[in-house]
Amino acid sequence: METPQTYWLTRFLVLRLLGLVYFVAFLSLAHQVLPLIGTDGLLPAAPFLDRLATHFGSRRDAFLELPSLFWFDVSDRFIVAMADVGIVLSLLVLLGWANAIVMALLWALYLSFVHIGQDWYGYGWEIQLLETGFLAIFLCPLLDPRPFPGRPVPTPVVWLLRWLVFRIMLGAGLIKLRGDPCWRDFTCLYYHYETQPLPNPLSRALHFLPRGFHQIGVLFNHLSELVAPWFIFGPRRFRHAAGSLLLAFQIFLILSGNLSFLNWLTIVPILACFDDSWLRRVLPGWLVARAERAAETARPSRAQQVAVAALVGVVAVLSIAPVRNLVSAHQAMNTSFNRLELVNTYGAFGSVGRERHEIIFEGTDDQVIADDTAWRAYEFECKPGNLARRPCLVAPYQYRLDWQIWFAAMSTPARYPWTLHLVWKLLHNDPGALSLLANDPFPDDPPRYVRARLYRYEFTPPGDASGDWWRRTLLGEWLPPLSVDDPRLLRFLAAYGWLSSPRTGD
């Protein structure tokens, strides 16, 4: 007969790791939010909110559809202040001080940013962080912020975290089987390490491993996403085995690429697969002793029990739509079915690109474009550009402009109109836009023209004589050379309300 299962150490780890993810997410906001959605940003939030109010009939109705603190104040100062508040609160959680109030504030703040973030915050891990963060509110006592508070861990919330990771993993596995045939013929990893959004330094070595390794990798993926999730609700031994497999899978994904904080965040509910009987074997003795002392004196809270029961009921009702989506032949991935992003459906890499396309933005100060015009390239913080530059190691941090450029390279400027706004800002040496890039090729005066060209990028083999990490082939023009007085650019910007003079650098 199994000994009673307790989750004091589980809660400790879940909250600490969630605090780290929140910290990275808000740090990214503090550094990038104004150039992206501020008053002078590429997709300013204020006009976006105005359009929503017009669409829904009033600001009140729009608020009810997309709740956000920024309906009350969307000034740059307030946006930065809220990002800073998020950093402080997440640091408190990371350092071991969390209660329901702190966790609720973090959730509400991040929800507010996601709902005004537009393209920059449309990733699956944003709603995954909100769902995880909402469940974490109920793991904590209302007021007691200590790492091991005087209230026991509510076991139903641990089960809800398992339900979350079940949907995350199974959704990712099913979208692959229903999507790209390379997941069914075990060939997707022939391409993935090279074509993923932001490869890291290990990605090239993985890309050139034998094809048998990649086929085993696809099998490992299917076992992790389609088989292991069914065992996380089983007896302790099976649950621990499933959790160990899922944990190993996420660690490998962290090592093989820069997928923002997605994998770090997914580990949070995976930790709910482990109870104290397993964790006390791997955690320091002093930490285990503190948990045991807290367990001896803990007393349940009737109010917390009622709140958790209500949470279980809400999640049960809201799970109907995600479950229907999972069993549907037309499965959608990374979708929320309610305005608070509480119970969602997830998935990743339902299709894998066979080629890596990159947009390279270039400028020139020549007054007339000719065959011998000298073009200077803009380098992004992390995405490939300079052939000799080693891929970055940045996750769990995310350079959001780099990610969106990866998507834009698979489409056209018409689908990503903010790319024209970016060109306009580069033509003015806008300091906000330049702060999102790794270099400024025109430190003295703005370029006369900016263009964008599309290339196919491929890894060079390790040890290649060139010493480069990449080789590339020109595919064509993605944007023609544009100047500040180009009538095509002016008409486009005017249609979007972006025709204003950006700030210029000093």
Side-chain angles (χ1 to χ4, degrees), residues 34 36-55 59 62 70-71 74-76 79 115-116 118 421 493-500:
L34 292 187
L36 294 177
I37 63 171
T39 302
D40 295 313
L42 291 170
L43 288 173
F48 173 68
L49 292 178
D50 290 340
R51 292 194 299 272
L52 287 176
T54 300
H55 175 75
R59 294 182 72 85
F70 300 110
W71 285 105
V74 73
S75 66
D76 288 355
I79 287 175
H115 280 176
I116 66 166
Q118 304 166 80
H421 201 192
L493 295 170
Y496 280 87
W498 293 335
L499 193 56
S500 60

Side-chain angles (χ1 to χ4, degrees), residues 113 127 131 138 163 182 194 216 221-222 229 262 270 288 295 298 321 352 365 380 382 398 410 412 440 444 456 460 498:
F113 279 109
I127 58 175
E131 181 172 354
F138 297 85
W163 172 233
C182 69
E194 181 177 77
I216 293 173
N221 182 99
H222 291 334
L262 171 61
I270 288 174
V288 174
V352 173
D365 47 19
F380 287 74
C382 199
Q398 182 182 4
M410 295 182 281
T412 63
D440 178 5
D444 300 320
R456 178 185 179 184
T460 59
W498 293 335

Side-chain angles (χ1 to χ4, degrees), residues 17 21 58 82 84 141 194 198 201 288 334 362 374 394 418 503:
L17 182 55
V21 173
S58 70
M82 292 302 98
D84 290 341
E194 181 177 77
L198 297 180
V288 174
N334 300 325
E362 299 172 323
V394 65
W418 54 263
R503 298 167 296 157

Side-chain angles (χ1 to χ4, degrees), residues 220-237:
F220 180 42
N221 182 99
H222 291 334
L223 288 174
S224 301
E225 294 183 339
L226 296 169
V227 178
W230 298 98
F231 292 92
I232 64 178
F233 301 111
R236 176 181 289 167
R237 181 175 300 177

